[in-house]
């Protein structure tokens, strides 16, 4: 089992040729190394592999220089005061502090001890040298950009020889609005100067820089707002009117509010003069007008105003809502929406004011540039008319509007994912739902790879070595992805393998420059590069268990994936992983319950000639229940047909079913009539309820049952049911009927009687027994389904039981069973009169010899002369016992079916008792002889009297 978690901190540094130093030496010599040895961490080993793939040499000391950076850019302005404070804090120490941009170009550098700069190469003393991983190898700046998180590198963990004596800690700096990485803050120091506070200080310093970046954006937003009000003071019909959205539509619904704000954000992101009509839910329409504007300091932005034609100018505020005012008390952008005290939203850069000394505050949620959305925008011909008052709805710079729009869409995608992912408890379908949700709103193509064990419902033991391509989904179907069902083997530098071993999402913005991705399979990746350009690989992790990988590819949108996309993909994957794990656990439990259920059902049908039988068992889609069926040979060539259903689903129902089926078979083999069998089962279920410690007498177990006994000698059947649907009887002429059986209470209620009904069943009729899962469905009426069953059975008497079963499942069974279905179809046969011999005689011992003679002649007619001795002896003993201990008249019957059956009946209810006679006893050996000569023997009771029977194989009788 592979469990995810944050990467452990290094357990050792490069000292004395041990730890990472030894592993690095072996790595450079081409020996295979693993993260489990020498304290080397996954991120470091991945970086070493990328460096080797790039062809870097550890002895190389030159770095490229880039002088095209902006020395007064936003990042530099945000970083200078922060670096000044850090330099003051670490004055006199051996620390050096660097700020690099998103390409790894160092923009600023400070030293705790100025003399430290003298020990650097000349090119590194001035801004402009590049420390990206593809040039400098494994180092703090390059690895922080590659891993996009806090990174610490110690001594021999550096790839380059020149850095072996140093350590560093580095952290990416994000733009709070876009979420993009703008640069890296890095502390460098000798290995001996390690200080645990560095990780804490660098986080606070990076947050201060991010707050200053946000402050620069806020100043631009405030400048635009001042320009908007200044323009309104100069135009008679301009935005100086203080009419607000609440006045335009005081009953504006929340959905309409959100729609207006979304359309306004789209207009800002398009950065052009335009007007669109937005239909509201009540049929009215609001016109949104956007126009460019520029502040006195040169900040360019877009103002979006809402216009509702037909209102007079200067209307009074509705509902007493106060207009929103700036710090000077002047009414500004918007009014309460729908009568609520809700200020008109503005882009984030207008809502935040950054203090001169920013405190360590949490960074706002990352926003990213949206994908283009086409709007029916029609630029007005000439000056925009102003027939009605306007209200400022939204104001901001185009890129800020794009971020706001992107953030809204990402929230919508996450909301949609909550509803779309995990609708079923099927592992494959859940993975497909993840891909369908992400395409095309996040990615153009998605692949999902899961271990074979997860697909079977088991917990994976080796998710890396047992991956199967489970889903390939995208905007087209012709891309050369590995097809579904094939085994996936990722190379050691592949992003997918890195995300699995590290437990974190891996972003490759530019696949053409992703050496690890290119190296895993050059031929395959080269073909894919003509279609896709950016990748996010995310581990599917739930409850600490790695369940697989989801890979998101971008193709059509020229913009690469960013950190915000990675966060969104990771959130989608996390939600999908929980659903996949739930489905996996359910699959595992269902497999176990289904295996138990099938083990408890009959594995084969007994050999008999009374009926020809076919059966089916279909588990429910959602769970496994407690349905069962059974075919039980009975004495006198009769056959018992049994169908039952335990209420509920799961392991308890399956186990209870097994107990009831075993008990029902035992009661039936004792030759109890159907109503008595149901009575015994009713008592058993009630006792199970009482014995269950969790039931507390509430009767948590319930069951229904139908029991039918068919006698081929009389072609009659006796039926009784306990709350179960009646059987269908298909007669030889093709007519179908449902016998009118007393319903009887479900098993477990106790105290209520069960009644049996005797019905004539002609030869070649079909008995159809089923459980309620076949006819009861939440979307269908039971009477309608019974009519469908009648139609499916009618006019087809020539069908075999197998054909009848299939026809029922094809036409009557629901497509997605909510409950289990057990189906039993039996075509009846008759035991002809030529196979039955019957004699009636008074209770006279002198007639025993005549019975033996009659039996011998009949056995000779059947060709069983050699079995005559055993049969005659059995009959003489049974008739003698009936005469001595029973009451006349006495009836003798021989049946020749698969076996030879001898029956003797009388009107007494006295049961015979088998005992072992002593050597001095004169009697008591009759039944002992019967038991020795027969295969089985027993007693069944009639309404008046009893039948003692003995059954033996003709060959066995002959051998005796």
């Amino acid at each position: 089992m592979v469990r995810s978690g944050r990467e452990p901190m290094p357990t050792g540094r490069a000292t004395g040729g041990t730890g990472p130093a030894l592993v690095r030496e072996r790595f450079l010599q081409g020996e295979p190394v693993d993260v489990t040895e020498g304290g080397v961490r996954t991120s470091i080993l991945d970086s070493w592999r990328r460096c080797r793939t790039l062809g870097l040499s550890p002895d190389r000391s030159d770095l490229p220089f880039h002088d095209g950076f902006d020395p007064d850019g936003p990042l530099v302005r945000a970083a200078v005061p922060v670096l000044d404070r850090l330099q003051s804090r670490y004055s006199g120490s051996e620390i050096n502090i660097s700020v690099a941009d998103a390409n790894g170009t160092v923009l600023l550098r400070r030293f705790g001890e100025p003399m430290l700069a003298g020990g650097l190469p000349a090119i590194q003393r001035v801004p402009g040298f590049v420390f990206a991983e593809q040039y400098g190898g494994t180092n703090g700046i390059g690895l922080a950009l590659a891993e996009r998180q806090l990174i610490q590198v110690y001594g021999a963990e550096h790839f380059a020889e020149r850095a072996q004596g140093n350590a560093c800690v580095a952290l990416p700096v994000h733009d709070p609005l876009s979420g993009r990485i703008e640069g890296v803050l890095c502390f460098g120091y000798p290995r001996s100067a390690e200080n645990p506070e560095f990780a804490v200080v660098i986080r606070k310093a990076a947050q201060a820089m991010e707050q200053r970046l946000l402050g620069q954006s806020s100043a631009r937003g405030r400048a635009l707002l001042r320009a908007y009000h200044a323009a309104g003071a100069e135009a008679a019909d301009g935005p100086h009117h203080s009419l607000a959205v609440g006045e335009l539509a005081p009953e504006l619904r929340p959905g309409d509010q959100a729609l207006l704000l979304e359309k306004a954000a789209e207009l800002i992101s398009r950065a052009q003069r335009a007007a669109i009509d937005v239909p509201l839910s009540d049929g009215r329409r609001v016109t949104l007008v956007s126009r460019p504007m520029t502040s006195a300091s040169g900040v360019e932005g877009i103002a979006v105003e809402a216009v509702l034609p037909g209102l007079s100018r200067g209307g009074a505020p509705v509902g007493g809502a106060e207009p929103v005012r700036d710090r000077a008390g002047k009414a500004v952008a918007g009014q309460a929406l729908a009568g609520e005290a809700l200020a008109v939203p503005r882009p984030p850069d207008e809502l935040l004011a950054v203090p001169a000394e920013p405190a360590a505050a949490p960074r706002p949620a990352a926003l990213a540039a949206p994908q283009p959305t086409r709007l029916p925008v029609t630029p007005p011909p000439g000056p925009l008319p102003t027939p009605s008052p306007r209200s400022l709805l939204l104001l901001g710079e185009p890129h800020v509007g794009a971020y706001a729009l992107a953030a809204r869409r990402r929230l919508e995608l996450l909301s949609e994912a909550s509803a779309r992912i995990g609708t079923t408890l099927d592992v494959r379908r859940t993975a497909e739902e993840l891909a369908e949700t992400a395409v095309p709103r996040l990615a153009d193509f998605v692949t999902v790879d899961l271990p074979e064990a997860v697909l079977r419902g088991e917990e994976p033991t080796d998710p890396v070595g047992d991956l199967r391509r489970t889903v390939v989904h995208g905007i087209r179907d012709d891309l050369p992805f590995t097809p579904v069902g094939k085994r996936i083997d990722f190379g050691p530098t592949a992003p997918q393998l890195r995300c699995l071993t590290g437990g974190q999402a891996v972003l490759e913005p530019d696949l053409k420059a992703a050496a690890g991705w290119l190296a895993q399979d050059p031929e395959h990746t080269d073909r894919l590069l003509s279609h896709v350009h950016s990748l996010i690989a995310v581990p599917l992790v739930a409850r600490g268990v790695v369940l697989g990988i989801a890979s998101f590819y971008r193709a059509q949108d020229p913009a690469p994936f960013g950190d915000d996309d990675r966060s969104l993909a990771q959130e989608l994957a996390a939600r999908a992983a929980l659903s996949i794990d739930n489905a996996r656990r359910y699959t595992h439990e269902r497999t176990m319950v289904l295996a138990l259920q099938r083990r408890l059902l009959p594995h084969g049908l007994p050999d008999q000639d009374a009926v020809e039988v076919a059966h089916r068992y279909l588990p429910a889609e959602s769970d496994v229940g407690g349905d069962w069926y059974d075919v039980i040979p009975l004495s006198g060539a009769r056959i018992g047909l049994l169908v039952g259903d335990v209420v509920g689903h799961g392991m308890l129902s399956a186990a209870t079913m097994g107990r009831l089926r075993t008990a029902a078979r035992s009661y039936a083999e004792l030759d109890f009539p159907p109503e008595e069998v149901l009575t015994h089962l009713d008592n058993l279920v009630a006792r199970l309820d009482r014995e269950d410690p969790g039931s507390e007498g509430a009767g948590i177990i319930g069951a229904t049952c139908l029991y039918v006994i068919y006698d081929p000698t009389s072609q009659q059947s006796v039926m009784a049911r306990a709350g179960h649907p009646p059987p269908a009887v298909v007669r030889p002429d093709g007519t179908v009927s449902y016998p009118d059986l007393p319903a009887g209470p479900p098993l477990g209620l106790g105290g209520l009687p069960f009644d049996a009904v005797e019905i004539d069943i002609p030869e070649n009729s079909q008995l159809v027994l089923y459980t309620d899962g076949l006819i009861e469905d939440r979307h269908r009426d039971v009477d309608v389904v019974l009519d469908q069953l009648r139609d499916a059975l009618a006019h087809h008497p020539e069908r075999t039981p197998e054909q009848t079963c299939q026809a029922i499942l094809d036409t009557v069974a629901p497509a997605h069973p909510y409950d289990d279905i057990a189906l039993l179809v039996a075509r009846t046969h008759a035991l002809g009169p030529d196979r039955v011999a019957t004699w009636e005689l008074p209770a006279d011992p002198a007639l025993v010899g005549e019975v033996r003679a009659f039996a011998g002649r009949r056995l000779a007619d059947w060709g069983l002369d050699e079995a005559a001795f055993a049969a005659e002896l059995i009959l003489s003993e049974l008739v003698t016992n009936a005469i001595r201990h029973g009451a006349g008249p006495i009836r003798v019957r021989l049946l020749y079916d698969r076996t030879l059956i001898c029956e003797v009946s009388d009107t007494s209810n006295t049961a015979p008792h088998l005992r072992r006679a002593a050597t001095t006893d004169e009697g008591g050996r009759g039944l002992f002889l019967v038991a020795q000569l027969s295969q089985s023997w027993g007693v069944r009771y009639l309404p008046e009297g009893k039948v003692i029977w003995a059954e033996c194989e003709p060959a066995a009788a002959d051998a005796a």
Side-chain angles (χ1 to χ4, degrees):
M1 182 175 64
V2 176
R3 296 190 178 272
S4 70
R6 298 190 62 84
E7 184 180 24
M9 296 300 293
T11 56
R13 302 172 190 155
T15 58
T18 62
L22 179 60
V23 178
R24 176 178 175 275
E25 181 178 340
R26 292 174 50 200
F27 177 84
L28 294 177
Q29 292 175 357
E31 297 181 19
V33 298
D34 190 82
V35 295
T36 60
E37 49 184 306
V40 65
R41 294 174 287 151
T42 302
S43 60
I44 299 298
L45 184 57
D46 288 341
S47 179
W48 290 352
R49 288 170 174 164
R50 291 194 296 269
C51 292
R52 182 165 59 186
T53 303
L54 291 167
L56 297 182
S57 170
D59 299 324
R60 180 178 174 180
S61 59
D62 58 319
L63 295 171
F65 184 82
H66 174 63
D67 58 0
F69 63 91
D70 184 1
D72 193 35
L75 181 61
V76 173
R77 295 199 305 271
V80 167
V82 177
L83 263 63
D84 288 343
R85 293 198 302 274
L86 289 174
Q87 184 179 27
S88 174
R89 175 172 183 157
Y90 293 109
S91 176
S93 69
E94 296 181 276
I95 191 173
N96 68 85
I97 305 163
S98 304
V99 172
D101 64 15
N103 297 316
T105 302
V106 175
L107 307 179
L108 296 169
R109 200 158 201 184
R110 297 283 194 275
F111 297 92
E113 174 55 57
M115 297 297 296
L116 292 175
L120 295 175
I123 194 175
Q124 296 186 28
R125 299 176 189 174
V126 295
F129 67 90
V130 183
F131 247 139
E133 188 181 59
Q134 60 265 36
Y135 304 114
T138 306
N139 68 87
I141 292 175
L143 195 54
L145 289 173
E147 296 290 331
R148 313 176 83 83
Q149 60 182 334
L150 178 71
I151 286 295
Q152 292 174 285
V153 184
Y154 300 92
E157 291 183 331
H158 289 88
F159 188 76
E161 292 287 350
R162 64 175 179 274
Q164 296 298 292
N166 299 325
C168 60
V169 57
L171 181 66
V173 178
H174 296 78
D175 183 333
L177 288 178
S178 68
R180 293 189 306 235
I181 292 179
E182 294 294 331
V184 177
L185 177 62
C186 180
F187 293 177
Y189 46 87
R191 291 182 315 189
S192 59
E194 167 68 17
N195 190 332
E197 79 167 5
F198 286 162
V200 178
V201 173
I202 200 171
R203 289 186 186 276
K204 292 184 177 180
Q207 288 177 352
M209 293 170 60
E210 291 170 354
Q211 289 288 65
R212 290 186 177 276
L213 285 172
L214 184 62
Q216 295 177 28
S217 298
S218 300
R220 297 167 68 89
R222 289 193 295 269
L224 282 177
L225 190 58
R226 287 193 297 269
Y228 177 82
H229 290 301
E234 299 171 359
D237 56 357
H240 65 283
H241 299 289
S242 61
L243 189 62
V245 175
E247 298 174 55
L248 292 173
E251 69 281 6
L252 201 62
R253 299 174 182 173
D256 292 335
Q257 299 173 17
L259 177 62
L260 288 175
L261 292 174
E262 180 177 0
K263 296 301 182 183
E266 293 184 27
L267 285 175
I268 291 176
S269 67
R270 292 180 61 83
Q272 67 182 53
R273 182 180 178 89
I276 60 172
D277 282 341
V278 180
L280 303 181
S281 59
D282 58 4
R284 293 181 297 171
R285 307 181 72 86
V286 173
T287 300
L288 299 184
V289 180
S290 66
R291 58 186 180 87
M293 54 183 302
T294 305
S295 72
S297 59
V299 179
E300 297 181 352
I302 301 291
V304 179
E305 298 167 319
V307 182
L308 183 63
L311 290 183
S312 60
R313 296 178 182 273
V318 176
E322 293 288 339
V324 179
R325 302 182 181 274
D326 61 13
R327 294 181 179 178
K330 182 177 180 180
V332 294
Q335 176 130 345
L337 295 177
E340 297 177 0
L342 175 64
V344 175
R346 288 166 288 169
D349 61 347
E350 298 177 25
L351 298 178
L352 295 177
V354 180
E357 291 292 334
R363 187 166 58 244
L367 308 175
Q371 301 191 20
T373 300
R374 299 295 180 188
L375 288 175
V377 179
T378 305
L384 289 173
T386 56
S388 300
R390 304 180 182 186
S391 170
L392 177 62
L393 182 62
L394 210 60
L395 183 148
E397 295 179 82
H399 70 279
V400 176
Y403 299 149
L405 181 60
R408 182 185 298 275
R409 288 176 176 168
R410 277 157 173 75
L411 289 175
E412 291 174 352
L413 181 58
L414 289 177
S415 176
E416 181 180 337
S418 300
R420 291 187 60 180
I421 299 176
T423 60
T424 68
L425 287 172
D426 180 84
V427 173
R428 285 183 174 86
R429 181 57 194 148
T430 303
E432 291 171 357
E433 290 169 344
L434 167 63
E436 292 168 359
T437 302
V439 174
R441 297 171 66 178
L442 172 62
D444 296 315
F445 299 93
V446 175
T447 64
V448 180
D449 307 312
L450 301 176
E452 187 70 29
V454 172
L455 296 174
R456 295 194 304 265
E458 302 170 6
E459 189 171 287
T461 56
D462 183 18
V464 177
D466 191 26
L467 284 173
R468 296 279 175 177
R469 178 57 47 87
T470 306
V471 174
V472 176
H473 181 70
I475 56 177
R476 302 205 319 268
D477 297 329
D478 56 349
L479 263 65
F481 288 107
T482 302
V484 171
K486 295 294 185 180
R487 184 186 178 92
I488 302 294
D489 292 312
F490 292 112
T493 60
Q496 287 86 349
L497 189 62
R498 288 162 49 203
C499 85
L500 266 185
T501 55
Q504 298 292 326
V506 173
L507 168 62
E508 292 288 0
D510 185 5
L511 288 177
K512 293 181 179 179
W517 185 77
L518 294 170
Q520 62 170 325
D521 186 352
E523 180 181 354
H524 182 67
T525 54
D526 184 62
R527 285 184 289 131
L528 271 179
L529 273 179
S530 61
H531 302 283
V532 298
H533 62 80
S534 192
L535 164 68
I536 302 174
V538 187
L540 297 172
V541 182
R543 301 178 179 93
V545 179
V546 179
L547 302 174
I549 308 170
S551 301
F552 301 83
Y553 295 88
R554 182 164 285 179
Q556 287 189 331
D557 189 349
F561 284 126
D563 280 323
D564 54 333
D565 297 306
R566 180 176 66 167
S567 299
L568 179 60
Q570 194 154 2
E571 178 66 23
L572 288 176
R575 299 186 183 200
L578 281 175
S579 297
I580 289 174
D581 191 52
N582 289 337
R584 178 194 67 79
R585 290 167 175 255
Y586 166 76
T587 301
H588 179 66
E589 181 178 345
R590 186 175 188 272
T591 300
M592 291 193 301
V593 175
L594 188 57
L596 174 63
Q597 170 85 335
R598 294 195 183 280
R599 289 291 299 174
L600 294 175
L601 290 173
H603 292 282
L605 298 179
D607 294 332
Q608 44 81 36
D609 293 328
V611 291
E612 177 187 354
V613 179
H615 57 87
R616 294 288 191 277
Y617 170 74
L618 271 68
E621 277 195 352
S622 59
D623 209 341
V624 178
D627 292 15
W628 87 91
Y629 59 88
D630 211 343
V631 179
I632 308 168
L634 302 175
S635 64
R638 298 171 305 145
I639 195 75
L641 305 175
L642 191 66
V643 171
D645 181 6
V646 175
V647 175
H649 298 86
M651 189 74 74
L652 176 61
S653 295
T656 304
M657 177 274 291
R659 300 174 73 175
L660 289 185
R661 175 179 170 257
T662 301
R665 188 177 187 92
S666 299
Y667 296 143
E669 289 177 342
L670 290 174
D671 268 326
F672 292 143
E675 64 273 18
E676 291 189 25
V677 169
L678 296 182
T679 300
H680 287 297
L681 289 177
D682 182 55
N683 294 333
L684 173 62
V685 173
R687 185 167 64 253
L688 292 177
D689 279 340
R690 292 192 300 269
E691 294 175 353
D692 188 342
S695 68
E696 298 181 355
I700 63 168
I701 299 175
T704 63
C705 187
L706 170 65
Y707 184 30
V708 177
I709 296 178
Y710 172 69
D711 189 344
T713 62
S714 63
Q715 301 179 39
Q716 288 186 330
S717 94
V718 181
M719 308 178 182
R721 60 176 177 145
H724 201 86
V729 179
V730 185
R731 299 189 180 275
D733 60 0
T735 60
V736 180
S737 63
Y738 297 104
D740 186 14
L741 304 181
L747 300 177
L749 294 183
L752 298 176
F754 299 96
D755 296 322
V757 174
E758 189 172 298
I759 300 174
D760 292 331
I761 305 292
E763 184 178 11
N764 289 325
S765 297
Q766 288 194 5
L767 287 167
V768 181
L769 289 72
Y770 49 88
T771 56
D772 57 5
L774 178 68
I775 62 172
E776 293 183 6
D777 187 278
R778 62 180 66 182
H779 304 296
R780 303 187 300 173
D781 183 81
V782 173
D783 293 333
V784 174
V785 178
L786 288 175
D787 290 339
Q788 292 177 353
L789 178 59
R790 186 193 304 272
D791 294 339
L793 296 174
H795 313 301
H796 297 286
E798 74 286 352
R799 282 179 179 158
T800 65
E802 286 287 344
Q803 293 172 335
T804 300
C805 278
Q806 195 59 46
I808 292 173
L809 296 182
D810 291 341
T811 59
V812 182
H816 304 283
Y818 173 75
D819 195 5
D820 289 20
I821 297 175
L823 180 63
L824 189 65
V825 178
R827 179 191 291 277
T828 61
H829 299 301
L831 189 62
D834 58 331
R835 293 296 187 98
V836 180
T838 304
W839 304 278
E840 290 192 7
L841 60 153
D844 184 357
L847 299 178
V848 174
E850 295 183 13
V851 172
R852 297 179 63 169
F854 292 153
R857 289 193 294 272
R858 179 51 61 94
L859 291 175
D861 294 339
W862 289 341
L864 302 177
D865 295 302
E866 296 181 358
F869 174 76
E872 291 175 6
L873 183 56
I874 289 174
L875 282 176
S876 64
E877 291 295 338
L878 295 181
V879 170
T880 301
N881 280 343
I883 293 173
R884 284 186 175 182
H885 307 292
I890 296 172
R891 188 168 180 258
V892 179
R893 189 168 72 157
L894 285 179
L895 303 176
Y896 180 29
D897 191 22
R898 287 177 176 264
T899 60
L900 180 64
I901 304 171
C902 305
E903 294 183 348
V904 175
S905 61
D906 62 74
T907 58
S908 170
N909 290 326
T910 303
H913 178 63
L914 177 65
R915 66 185 181 89
R916 187 178 300 273
T919 56
T920 57
D921 290 341
E922 296 183 359
R925 297 177 178 83
L927 285 180
F928 181 78
L929 291 174
V930 171
Q932 293 298 312
L933 294 173
S934 63
Q935 178 181 348
S936 60
W937 73 278
V939 180
R940 71 173 179 269
Y941 290 92
L942 304 174
E944 294 182 0
K946 64 180 181 296
V947 176
I948 305 175
W949 56 269
E951 181 177 337
C952 58
E953 295 283 349
D958 181 42

